[in-house]
Amino acid sequence: MGNTAYKDHAALSAGFNRDEGRVDWHDQTLWFVRQKRDRLSQGIPDWEDLREAASAIKSHTLSNIDTYLETFEKNALANGIHIHWAPDAVSHNQTVLEILQRHNISQLVKSKSMLTEECHLNDFLEQRGLEVTDTDLGERIVQLAKEPPSHIVLPCIHKKKEEIGELFHVHLGTPAGLADPQQLTEAARQDLRKRFLTRRAALTGVNFAIAETGEFVVCTNEGNADMGAHLADVHIASMGFEKVIPGRKELGIFLRLLARSATGQPITTYSSHFARPRDGQELHLILVDNGRSRQLGRDDFRASLKCIRCGACMNTCPVYRRSGGHSYHTAVAGPIGSILAPNLDMAQFKDLPFASTLCGSCSNVCPVKINIHEQLYKWRQVLVRHGHTDTKKTAAMKAMAYTLSRPALLNFAGKSLRFALRYAPLAINNPLNPWYRQRDMPAAPAETFAAWYHKNRKGANR
Amino acid sequence: MTRREIFLDNVRKNKPKSLPLPAQFEPDRNLFADPVESFVRMAETVGTKVLRVNNETAVRDYVETELPVKGRVISPMEVLAGLAEPVPPGLPHMLQDCEYAILRGRIGVAENAAIWLTDQDMGQRVLPFITQHLCLVLAEDEVVALMPDAYAQIADDAYGFGTFIAGPSKTADIEQSLVIGAHGARSLTILLMNRNASRGADQLMFAGHNNHMSQ
Ligand code: SF4
């Protein structure tokens, strides 16, 4: 990605789709995760009420976010946590750098934080000669492969174990051809343990920050956030401001939803609550805006800030499952990423709201009830209004709008389409018409709907 | 303007009009009849081994006779004095060769088999993570049904660090195959006492073994 020529979602998907076997595997594996989520959520009798409650808590918090942020700050400061405010990605990265430089630290272990992906922190630090080690296994794998994560919960879901074995062979010295997940994980455990024990600074993400107590919660299955944070002299936690919730009571609701929605687990292995630094340790927390306040001001897209980053909308999305996370060319892929990215840069991410069938499956699984597919539809309108659509699509849409508003023309168009489908399907299903690249046209019905309706209505009236 | 002022200013300018906090959520409790049985069943599904014991003396017995490892055994529990090394103060890195840590949990949650413990129960925060194997001791009457019940108990606690632990460390990042033992403990054993230590210890026998482990 990065400096290569701009490719949109369709072009990048085409790349992913060249390996049909991999696409099938990707599709089925994510669907399996979706099914696990279904089983777990169906075990909670009041699941729908829980979602509703979580959604309402987030609406309330976002509408009073300044007060909650100030309360959080006050309580966190009282706990001995240093609080930093970063209006944008650059100030976030600078803050991290300054903290590290003050301690003469040039090496950092990092647990999963999509925010630091969004801010391109690794690149920023590496360009200044610092070393960053991602410690979540999936993130470590994509880091070694010099790729971004393709999924916010399952960062290397696009990789096959043989490819991971090859990476580990090159970077960790495992035997060539070793592709056993158990043995590969063990090799990473040994290597990363050395790093945990020798790095003086650890950066973690934040799943929830609690205004009432000034603590924050980090959830992992691997234990990497804790290994880093409890061994390091300096712990830096980075969070988007939307992660604040009112109190511990509310945590009881969100932690019931998060892992069940994410991976179909009743809870993650570790849900760690950081309230005060340990003796002799420095604890820093960086609050980041980076476009979130702008999204907060957009009535139609505000609800996207409720996201708790469970990834369920990706696992269920028929487009994501078949196009792969990298096709979204942004840190947070999938349906929710396609709402967040155009807020950051409309021109660069104008393709993403169109990378959806608008089937609504994402909205149905979202634990905080974000109306994801409606927002995707609304982004399309905003993008068209701002002139950000590709010309082929705009021409087709204009023709469609013109036709739909004129019944006689529509009638004629329908008849000619059926004629074309029956006698010249290639004229429609041809390489110049991109919609049909992975699709087949249905057989044409013998009569138009209007003709059918006319006949049957008449029959009913007789 | 400072970064803080710019930040809060942008947030204030953009926030919508205030919406109320919803009425307190009352969870449906028809999840299971017996929280302790559910806790045990759920623990087994997340890869935890559960042993039912009578009391703290039986815990001591277990450590003395059954602990399946050689190597450094560390515990802050008084009842294990002489059997396990107390948690060493100072650099947490000193715990890197800990083979087995035995810690007293505070709350067990039936719906997900998570056990809550705080830094006061750990001696050193890194201990439950850096140890190769972890053993958590809990009493049956410390098991609550749901997460909101746990938070009702924790509500006003002033810990520096606390964590819910549910099972051994795990990952499925390589092709979604479940691997136990990512960065944290490779195994979790829960010693579930049917009687709380505070109520006296007269029976030394194990109440029964349950060595079944599943994922
Ligand atoms: S939008 Fe909803 S479903 Fe998607 S990641 Fe966020 S919380 Fe999960």
Side-chain angles (χ1 to χ4, degrees), chain A residues 25 29 33 43 45-46 49-50 53 56-57 59-60 63-66 70 73 85-87 91 94-95 135-138 154-157 160-161 164 181-182 184-186 189-190 192-193 196-197 215 221-222 224 226-227 230-231 241 248-249 251-253 255-256 260 266-267 269-278 287-289 293 296-297 302, chain B residues 3-4 6-8 10-12 14-22 24-31 42 45-46 91-93 96 111-114 116 119 124-126 128-132 146-148 151 154-186:
Chain A
W25 184 87
T29 305
V33 180
D46 50 349
D49 299 336
L50 258 182
I57 291 166
S59 295
H60 160 77
S63 73
N64 297 280
I65 189 70
D66 50 337
E70 285 175 307
E73 179 194 36
W85 301 80
S91 53
Q94 275 167 353
T95 304
T135 58
D136 171 86
L137 178 61
L154 320 166
C156 69
I157 191 69
K160 304 300 293 175
K161 58 179 192 274
I164 297 165
Q182 177 96 40
L184 292 175
T185 303
E186 182 63 29
R189 175 184 170 103
Q190 301 295 346
L192 288 167
R193 212 154 241 257
F196 285 128
L197 285 162
E215 71 195 310
N221 277 323
E222 299 183 3
N224 56 316
D226 289 281
M227 282 292 281
H230 304 316
L231 288 169
F241 71 67
R248 285 185 184 157
K249 218 170 36 221
L251 251 185
I253 291 175
L255 286 184
R256 297 186 77 193
R260 288 187 174 99
I267 191 169
T269 303
Y270 306 106
S271 310
S272 290
H273 300 46
F274 295 84
R276 287 194 299 272
R278 68 166 200 277
L287 291 159
V288 182
D289 180 340
S293 57
L296 185 67
R302 175 179 307 126
Chain B
R3 278 179 181 171
R4 181 180 185 278
I6 296 170
F7 193 117
L8 283 169
N10 283 336
V11 165
R12 273 192 207 105
N14 284 295
K15 70 168 186 170
K17 77 172 200 312
S18 176
L19 293 164
L21 188 64
Q24 172 150 9
F25 180 73
E26 271 310 321
D28 187 326
R29 306 191 154 279
N30 291 324
L31 226 57
M42 191 55 78
T45 65
V46 298
L91 265 188
H93 302 72
Q96 61 174 294
E111 69 166 313
N112 55 23
W116 171 253
D119 40 5
Q124 294 255 19
R125 294 181 184 187
V126 81
F129 307 96
I130 202 169
T131 181
Q132 296 291 333
L146 305 174
M147 287 303 281
Y151 279 109
I154 295 166
D156 303 315
D157 288 4
Y159 46 80
F161 172 74
T163 188
F164 284 101
I165 299 182
S169 149
K170 58 176 86 66
T171 181
D173 275 345
I174 303 178
E175 285 197 8
Q176 281 294 291
S177 332
L178 181 65
V179 177
I180 301 290
H183 301 298
R186 296 175 189 275

Side-chain angles (χ1 to χ4, degrees), chain A residues 152-153 258 261-262 303-304 306-314 316 332-333 335-337 339-340 362-363 365-370 372:
Chain A
I152 59 174
V153 176
L258 178 60
S261 299
S304 63
K306 295 178 180 181
C307 175
I308 57 172
R309 302 286 191 269
C310 73
C313 57
M314 298 166 199
T316 201
V332 178
I336 184 66
I339 301 171
L340 298 174
C362 45
S363 307
V365 297
C366 176
V368 287
K369 295 190 88 163
I370 302 173
I372 306 171

